[in-house]
Amino acid sequence: MQWVFLFSAIVAEVCGTTSMKLSDGFQRPLPTVLMFVFYLLSLSLMNLAMRTIGIATAYAIWSGVGTALIASIGVAYFKEPMTLVKVVSLALIIFGVIGLNLTGTHSS
């Protein structure tokens, strides 16, 4: 169940970050409120996930997968450019998350 919490936390964080962009610097009320709701939900779910998943593992996956998803949304929805530097940087994040998982200790 802890992995469901973790991946739900990632989805909520991605929704919160997307809402932040859509809020236009707190100018649009609905995306602004949604940003706070999604971030609160994300942090609450992370708290539940970290009851049994180590902090390094949980945070690495949460931030790495979230960053990759947000970068993809930026390219697909907000028409941000996908540069070679961005691709290489995302690959390094993914390798870093894998490395942390391979070298860390896991608790169930």
Side-chain angles (χ1 to χ4, degrees), residues 9 17 66 82 84-85 95 106:
T17 302
M82 179 55 83
L84 179 61
V85 171
F95 288 127
H106 299 280

Side-chain angles (χ1 to χ4, degrees), residues 2-3 6 46-64 97 100-101 104-108:
Q2 67 271 14
W3 294 102
L6 179 59
M46 272 292 283
N47 193 5
L48 293 173
M50 287 193 295
R51 287 189 299 184
T52 54
I53 300 173
I55 189 170
T57 299
Y59 192 76
I61 293 170
W62 183 73
S63 61
V97 169
L100 282 171
N101 282 304
T105 59
H106 299 280
S107 61
S108 314

